[in-house]
Amino acid sequence: MEQNAKGFPINHVIGFLTSLILTFAAVFLAFKTSLPVKAIIGVIGTLAVIQAGLQLYMFMHMNEGEDGKANVINIAYAFFIAIVTVAGSIWVMSFGHHM
């Protein structure tokens, strides 16, 4: 991310404001609409994924570095670990009491 001549990180401000807009959109959707619960959960999940991608790009500098391939591999590994952790936790909480 480049800064302008005065050193003000405008890209970070834009990313922050966009994240706020996505958050407020999710809050509005949850509290002010009469959509079915499954639809609300789906849209909020989609907004969350978009916001996570935005934050990775704007704040974690995913587009910087000498080797962009390493960044992609690291993110894929992080998602794999997150999925295994969540799925394992759900599995243990659901079926662990039988043991």
Side-chain angles (χ1 to χ4, degrees), residues 29-52:
L29 182 73
F31 293 126
K32 299 291 183 182
T33 62
S34 59
L35 292 173
V37 174
K38 288 185 180 183
I40 291 173
I41 291 172
V43 174
I44 289 176
T46 302
L47 289 173
V49 169
I50 292 169
Q51 187 170 355

Side-chain angles (χ1 to χ4, degrees), residues 79-89:
F79 278 121
F80 172 75
I81 293 298
I83 290 170
V84 168
T85 302
V86 170
S89 297

Side-chain angles (χ1 to χ4, degrees), residues 6-74:
K6 296 178 183 177
F8 187 75
I10 189 69
N11 289 332
H12 288 96
V13 173
I14 291 171
F16 176 69
L17 292 175
T18 307
S19 293
L20 283 177
I21 290 169
L22 289 171
T23 300
F24 288 130
V27 169
F28 175 79
L29 182 73
F31 293 126
K32 299 291 183 182
T33 62
S34 59
L35 292 173
V37 174
K38 288 185 180 183
I40 291 173
I41 291 172
V43 174
I44 289 176
T46 302
L47 289 173
V49 169
I50 292 169
Q51 187 170 355
L54 173 78
Q55 290 180 4
L56 282 171
Y57 181 76
M58 298 297 269
F59 301 120
M60 300 301 290
H61 308 287
M62 287 302 299
N63 60 339
E64 294 179 4
E66 296 175 10
D67 186 18
K69 188 186 233 184
N71 288 338
V72 173
I73 291 171
N74 289 338

